[in-house]
Each structure stands twice: as C-alpha cells, then as structure tokens.
Amino acid sequence: MARPKVNGEEIRLRDPEATQRRILAAAKAEFARKGLGGARVDDIAARAKINKRMLYHYFGNKEELFTRTLEDAYGAFREAEARLRIEEDDPVTAIRRLMTFTWTYYLDNPEFITLVNSENLHKAKHIRKSDQMDAMNKPFVTRMQTLLERGVAEGLFRPDLDPTQILITVSGLGFHYLTNRHTGAIVYGRDLMTDNAKAARLRFNIDAVLRIICKPEILSRLEQ
C-alpha cells in the first residue's frame, strides 16, 4: 500500500493512532490555554512532536482539529460517567455518586470547562456540525430519565421531573462555581478553592439536587 502524501511528500505513519492521540492532547492543552483564535497550529505540532504537515494530514485544518478536540473531550467525560454504572445503585445513592463524579471531574479536568466555555463563545458552531455529539449525549439523558423513573417507582422522587432540567442543574451547580471562582472570591470575600470550601460546595450541591427531586417525606428520612 502506498504511503499517503502531503504536497508530494511521503508521510511515515509508524503508529497513526498514537500520533493522533498526541495531536489531540496537544490541541486540548493549547485550545484550553488560548482558545480557538489564539492557539497556533505550529505550537500544537511542536507540543505533539510532529511536523505541521502531519497534523493537516490527520485533521485538515485548525477548525476541524478544534471540533475533534471538543468531541474527544466530551467523549472522555461521557465514557467516564458511563463507567459509574449508576443503574446498579439505589436512586438516591446514584444521584449522590453522579453529583460527586461531576464535581470531581471538573476539578480534575479544568481544560474541559475551558473548552466548553470557548465553544459557547462560538455559539456551538463546531459541535453543532459534529455527527458524534448526538450519539454521545443521548445515553446521558436516557440514563437520567431511567434513574428518575426508578426513583418515582420506589416512592422516592417527585413524578413531575424533567431529566434535562435535572442534568442542567447537576452540571450548572459545579460549572458556575468553578468558572466564576476568581471573581467569586472577590465578590463573596472568601477563597472558594480551599479544600474545605470545595468539600462544602459538593455537600451543598448534593443536598440541593436531592431537595429538588425527592419527596418531602423522603428528605426528612434522609436528614435523620
């Protein structure tokens, strides 16, 4: 099989999957630091330890690379979430584990938050064109729908809950706190990122969501 060429020059593909992973890791770091407009293909290629022609061979151009980086970031998040297997937990435990996972993932992967914020500045034009986003996110919504239905069937949760609204709340309680941690420290006059502050915020987030979804008599039982 002939080797692929760029501008008439052969590209040596010793390990294409590993090369693409390196490029995506480098792109994630650069896009998270500088955004789509500020990131340079030369810097991404240098960080990935490849030549620029190789990057274009795999990803076409910077816009396409940004789309693939977003897909990769969302995919990693969804895969990690699926590994929780919350369908095996009782509904209340499942909510607690999901809240803890989401909060911890944001803390451990700050570039994910930055990339999502960057794409929002572009009005989601890249992921809107992605043929992978729908497939990645449908199971995410379905899992919450199933979880809420189990909670209702067991007499734990209110029956009038919209899974999308709950998911927005689960995400937003942590996302807003972390994206506004610097201004929030000034506005509220406290360091929002100490270990105690982060632990208190997680407890608050879990309590807030349980108060939204649980029946009052179940809340009383949980607080005992």
Side-chain angles (χ1 to χ4, degrees), residues 11-13 19 50-58:
I11 296 177
R12 295 184 178 181
L13 306 178
T19 300
I50 59 161
N51 62 58
K52 192 161 59 172
R53 294 192 309 276
M54 183 79 76
L55 186 151
Y56 287 134
H57 167 71
Y58 285 121

Side-chain angles (χ1 to χ4, degrees), residues 175-209:
F175 202 96
H176 177 86
Y177 184 98
L178 294 174
T179 55
N180 293 276
R181 62 192 183 278
H182 301 298
T183 53
I186 304 302
V187 171
Y188 303 114
R190 66 168 71 172
D191 186 345
L192 301 180
M193 295 304 290
T194 66
D195 288 344
N196 286 340
K198 289 183 289 187
R201 184 61 195 184
L202 175 58
R203 290 192 300 270
F204 180 90
N205 290 352
I206 293 172
D207 183 64
V209 170

